């Protein structure tokens, strides 16, 4: 069945009398007739689902207007108005927009604070009787996860629509691609998954198609009416109703069955869309194969018998490693983070995370480790713990779809772990250990695994959620250990068909020449059906065995990859994992910034000064060179915002140390940068990111906040003798404020150059309004600011 959403609410409210900078949600109380009229107009145009005027009606957003204590009142009033207008003609979706802040470590908002904010709003919407929750315009998958968990917790019977916003590179600002989003959200229980805002319908067709190809949920789409333009001081959306409507069948064919409009769309756009979709057949979507997909914030990995072997890195585990255990006990994650980065470099596609050290706060340690590793690498994680509280902490902190390592056939694991897997959308590693201990035979292991899977399906899990462990014992204690593992793998493949895993190194315990035993055993297991070994990715013999086995088993056609690898045998595998501290000191500083190694950067700066390097050398050849490379990688989508922010924090720590040790050196502030979101605009995420990157690059940043009067910006620029004034505007309706600020700066004789940015801003607009520079993102802003002050 095809469903039609309404279109833009904000522009319609402004046409109905909402003052620039006013609170849209307060119209539900002060002018309910205006809101009701908008709903009625969209229903008359053909909308079958209308959204409540509650996009910003959360505590964190209402705080800007001093209305944070009126969350329930404003949300319930909005639902009442929408339901009165809808009657029996349309359903009502309770709109929940983003908080306007990033969740830690990208920002200063705690996950639990975000969850509580969404829980409060969802509670009011549910109490008022919405038919759907619609969580929309999110740019951060972690914020979407917090909102989805809150909606499911407060009202599990109300369907939830999850819509992220993507940039023109096909990813969200924080790096999530549509495939990963579909995998994460569908397994967490989203009922409908989609995309809205930011782009026009043409750009959203491939995103809709990717979403539809990676989940069985219905797909929703609400495009803008093209990118806004400012014509004679008025906002103009270039796509008219007929043009907009003509894209409806194409979006339908791509897989969307819930269609509507976002910024710039009106009842006439929705009328044209409805007309274009009349008589169109609903797209046929074949059920997706039930494969095991895991995902990080920015990357998806599939483990399947028909695909190449996936390596799971085992090195983040303190068992038998005294130094690592001691660091974890002391609260240091330095080695944990190094292992994460180096294992991925060495070929690990998943990382097992075990923080099992006696006497520590396991919940805190797991949450911190997962948070840090998720920011450093794009490899999906396996959360390895026997503590249910630590497991939930890791799952809650993880901005992706994790693997739980492990669920055994023991009653407490079945009872405690399976509900967590269902709630957080995690897959499970099934371990054939029973209340009676370790089954010795393959047949007994198959029976134990079947018991786990049967219980998992009763808990709501399904095919595609299971990774089966063959359970390796040591051959020095049991001569049949190897044979039983091989039989177990074969039985798993024959009777269940789910992918398999195991920790390989147990097989050789107590024997000499363990690498030989391990690599030989590895090749035998690969031939028997092993899909995802848990192993040390630095082990050269294992890597060679994997390459050779891939060629022999047909996973490497014609042995091409094997041949290329063998041609470079003179370069050991470990050469690709050279430690930062093994590099020449300036190269080490550069690498530490790129890798976000904040824990070691201060020591490297001190070492460089002790070796006689000047402050300028450290800045130019280490720090600036790193940020230049990061900027290039960010611009070409090889690096994403979380990594950029971590690198920026690392560079800030280096600058701070230089200023401490050489206070009068050239490492003083590069210049003064006054930054603000213009009057009437309360969106400041992009501005905050830019300010952080500028500060971490050595600028003195004076952040005036959001919704700032032009006179305040001008007075501050003159008082501080600013080198640059940065102005942000997300909404087209507030863009004319940029012209006003520029005119006042010129009239006041301010020497500052003006840089502008924001979702609605373009280079053409920058040229027309007299701005000196336009920055599409924070990294570009830093580069332009350096050029302006002459320190490039």
């Amino acid at each position: 069945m095809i469903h039609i959403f309404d279109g833009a609410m904000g522009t319609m409210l402004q046409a109905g009398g909402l003052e620039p900078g006013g609170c849209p949600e307060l119209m539900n109380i002060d002018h309910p007739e205006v809101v009701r009229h908008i709903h009625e107009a969209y229903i008359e145009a053909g909308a079958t689902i209308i959204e409540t005027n509650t996009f910003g009606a959360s505590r964190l957003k209402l705080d800007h207007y001093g209305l944070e204590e009126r969350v329930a009142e404003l949300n319930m009033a909005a639902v009442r108005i929408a339901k009165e207008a809808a009657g029996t003609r349309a359903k009502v979706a309770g709109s929940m927009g983003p908080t306007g802040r990033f969740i830690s470590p990208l920002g200063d908002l705690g996950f639990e604070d975000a969850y509580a904010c969404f829980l409060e709003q969802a509670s009011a919407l549910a109490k008022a009787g919405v038919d759907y929750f619609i969580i929309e315009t999110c740019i951060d998958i972690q914020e979407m996860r917090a909102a989805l968990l809150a909606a499911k917790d407060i009202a599990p019977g109300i369907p939830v629509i999850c819509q992220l916003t993507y940039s023109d590179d096909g990813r969200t600002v924080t790096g999530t691609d549509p495939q990963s989003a579909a995998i994460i959200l569908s397994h967490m229980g989203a009922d409908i998954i989609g995309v809205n805002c930011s782009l026009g319908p043409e750009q959203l067709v491939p995103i809709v198609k990717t979403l539809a190809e990676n989940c069985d949920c219905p797909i929703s789409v609400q495009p803008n009416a093209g990118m806004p333009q400012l014509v004679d001081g008025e906002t103009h959306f270039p796509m008219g109703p007929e043009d907009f409507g003509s894209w409806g069948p194409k979006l339908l064919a791509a897989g969307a069955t819930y269609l509507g409009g976002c910024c710039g769309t009106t009842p006439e756009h929705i009328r044209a869309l409805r007309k274009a979709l009349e008589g169109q057949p609903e797209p046929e979507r074949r059920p997706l194969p039930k494969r095991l997909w895991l995902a990080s914030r920015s990357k998806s990995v599939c483990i399947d018998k028909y695909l190449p072997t996936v390596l799971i890195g085992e090195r983040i585990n303190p068992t038998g490693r005294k130094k690592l255990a001691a660091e974890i006990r002391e609260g240091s994650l330095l080695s944990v983070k190094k292992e994460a980065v180096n294992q991925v470099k060495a070929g690990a596609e998943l990382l097992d995370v075990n923080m099992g050290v006696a006497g520590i706060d396991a919940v805190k340690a797991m949450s911190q480790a997962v948070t840090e590793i998720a920011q450093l690498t794009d490899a999906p994680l396996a959360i390895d713990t026997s503590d249910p509280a630590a497991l939930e902490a890791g799952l809650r902190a993880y901005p992706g779809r994790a693997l739980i390592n492990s669920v055994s056939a023991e009653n407490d694991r079945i009872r405690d772990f399976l509900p967590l897997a269902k709630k957080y959308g995690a897959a499970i590693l099934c371990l054939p250990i029973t209340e009676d201990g370790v089954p010795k035979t393959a047949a007994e292991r198959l029976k134990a695994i079947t018991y786990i899977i049967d219980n998992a399906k009763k808990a709501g899990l399904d095919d595609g959620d299971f990774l089966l462990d063959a359970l390796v014992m040591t051959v020095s204690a049991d001569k049949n250990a190897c044979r039983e593992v091989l039989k177990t793998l074969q039985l798993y493949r024959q009777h269940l068909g789910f992918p398999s895993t195991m920790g390989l190194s147990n097989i050789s315990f107590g024997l000499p020449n363990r690498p030989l035993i391990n690599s030989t055993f590895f090749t035998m297991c690969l031939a028997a059906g092993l899909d995802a070994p848990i192993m040390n990715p630095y082990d050269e013999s294992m890597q060679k065995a994997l390459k050779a086995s891939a060629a022999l088993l047909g996973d490497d056609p014609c042995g091409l990859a094997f041949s290329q690898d063998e041609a470079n045998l003179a370069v050991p595998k470990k050469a690709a994992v050279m430690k930062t501290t093994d590099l020449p000191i300036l190269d080490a500083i550069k690498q530490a910034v790129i890798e976000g190694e904040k824990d070691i950067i201060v020591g490297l700066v001190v070492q460089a000064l002790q070796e006689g390097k000047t402050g300028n050398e450290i800045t130019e050849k280490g720090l600036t060179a790193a940020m230049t490379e990061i900027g290039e990688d960010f611009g070409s989508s090889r690096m994403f915002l979380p990594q950029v922010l971590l690198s920026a924090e690392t560079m800030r720590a280096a600058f701070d140390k230089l200023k401490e040790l050489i206070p009068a050196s050239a490492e003083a502030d590069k210049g003064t940068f006054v930054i603000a979101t213009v009057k009437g605009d309360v969106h400041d995420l992009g501005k905050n990111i830019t300010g952080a990157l500028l500060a971490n690059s050595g600028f003195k940043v004076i952040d005036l906040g959001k919704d700032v009067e032009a006179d305040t910006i001008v007075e501050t620029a003159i008082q501080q003798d600013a080198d640059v004034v940065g102005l942000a505007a997300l909404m087209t309706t507030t863009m004319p404020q940029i012209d006003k600020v520029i005119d006042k700066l010129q009239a006041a004789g301010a020497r500052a150059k003006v840089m502008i940015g924001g979702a609605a801003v373009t280079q053409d607009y920058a040229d027309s309004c007299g701005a000196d520079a336009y920055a599409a993102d924070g990294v570009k802003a830093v580069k332009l600011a350096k050029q302006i002050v002459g320190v490039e």
Side-chain angles (χ1 to χ4, degrees), residues 727-739:
L727 304 174
L730 183 76
M731 302 184 298
T732 54
T733 52
T734 58
M735 284 168 60
Q737 289 291 324
I738 292 176
D739 301 68

Side-chain angles (χ1 to χ4, degrees), residues 340-362:
V341 171
N342 288 340
Q343 285 186 101
V344 171
K345 286 181 180 179
E349 294 184 71
L350 267 68
L351 297 175
D352 188 73
V353 181
N354 184 310
M355 302 297 287
V357 176
I360 68 169
D361 183 340

Side-chain angles (χ1 to χ4, degrees), residues 214-230:
N214 286 279
C215 69
D216 289 321
C217 304
I219 304 301
S220 63
V221 59
Q222 292 177 286
N224 289 346
M227 288 302 294
Q229 302 169 351
L230 201 65

Side-chain angles (χ1 to χ4, degrees), residues 546-608:
L546 176 61
K547 288 278 197 292
S549 297
L552 292 169
L553 295 172
D555 293 330
D556 172 17
C558 304
L560 179 61
F562 177 79
S563 300
Q564 292 173 339
D565 184 67
E566 291 299 293
N568 295 295
L569 275 180
V571 181
K573 186 68 179 180
K574 288 185 180 178
V577 196
M578 181 178 284
K579 296 179 181 179
T580 299
T581 49
D582 292 336
L583 296 168
I585 189 60
L586 295 179
D587 291 337
I589 290 172
K590 175 183 175 183
Q591 189 65 24
V593 172
I594 291 172
E595 299 289 355
E597 295 185 282
K598 188 178 178 182
D599 302 285
I600 67 170
I601 191 66
V602 169
L604 292 174
V605 168
V606 172
Q607 180 184 337

Side-chain angles (χ1 to χ4, degrees), residues 498-685:
F498 303 127
S500 59
T501 186
M502 66 178 73
L504 292 160
S505 57
N506 282 351
I507 195 71
S508 63
F509 185 77
L511 295 176
N513 200 354
R514 293 188 68 187
L516 176 60
I517 294 289
N518 290 343
S519 59
T520 304
F521 176 60
F522 186 23
T523 59
M524 298 168 73
C525 291
L526 288 169
L530 176 62
D531 300 294
I534 302 173
M535 57 175 274
N536 177 0
Y538 310 150
D539 191 317
E540 229 178 303
S541 62
M542 299 289 277
Q543 289 280 9
K544 289 179 179 179
L546 176 61
K547 288 278 197 292
S549 297
L552 292 169
L553 295 172
D555 293 330
D556 172 17
C558 304
L560 179 61
F562 177 79
S563 300
Q564 292 173 339
D565 184 67
E566 291 299 293
N568 295 295
L569 275 180
V571 181
K573 186 68 179 180
K574 288 185 180 178
V577 196
M578 181 178 284
K579 296 179 181 179
T580 299
T581 49
D582 292 336
L583 296 168
I585 189 60
L586 295 179
D587 291 337
I589 290 172
K590 175 183 175 183
Q591 189 65 24
V593 172
I594 291 172
E595 299 289 355
E597 295 185 282
K598 188 178 178 182
D599 302 285
I600 67 170
I601 191 66
V602 169
L604 292 174
V605 168
V606 172
Q607 180 184 337
L609 292 172
Q610 290 173 343
E611 291 184 11
K613 306 298 182 185
T614 67
N616 282 336
E617 283 182 298
I618 295 170
T619 300
E620 293 173 10
K621 297 180 181 179
L623 305 177
T624 302
M627 287 309 291
T628 299
E629 187 170 321
I630 289 165
E632 292 172 354
D633 286 348
F634 181 71
S636 59
S637 297
R638 292 191 299 269
M639 179 178 281
F640 305 110
L641 185 60
Q643 292 81 28
V644 172
L645 291 177
L646 187 60
S647 293
E649 290 176 11
T650 305
M651 188 171 67
R652 177 77 266 163
F655 270 125
D656 288 346
K657 193 63 179 179
L658 280 172
K659 290 177 184 180
E660 175 190 331
L661 298 175
I662 320 176
S665 72
E667 280 73 48
D669 289 316
K670 289 183 170 65
T672 300
F673 197 115
V674 173
I675 191 168
T677 302
V678 296
K679 179 64 180 174
D681 204 317
V682 297
H683 302 84
D684 63 354
L685 276 179

Side-chain angles (χ1 to χ4, degrees), residues 472-507:
V472 178
M473 307 304 291
T474 176
V475 75
S476 62
D478 180 1
K479 68 175 183 179
N480 293 318
C482 175
R483 293 183 183 275
E484 290 302 326
V485 166
L486 299 177
K487 288 179 184 177
T488 301
L489 290 170
Q490 292 163 351
L491 287 177
Y492 286 171
R493 183 65 60 86
Q494 178 184 351
H495 293 279
L496 299 173
F498 303 127
S500 59
T501 186
M502 66 178 73
L504 292 160
S505 57
N506 282 351
I507 195 71

Side-chain angles (χ1 to χ4, degrees), residues 32 35 166 536 676 705 766:
V35 180
Y166 297 86
N536 177 0

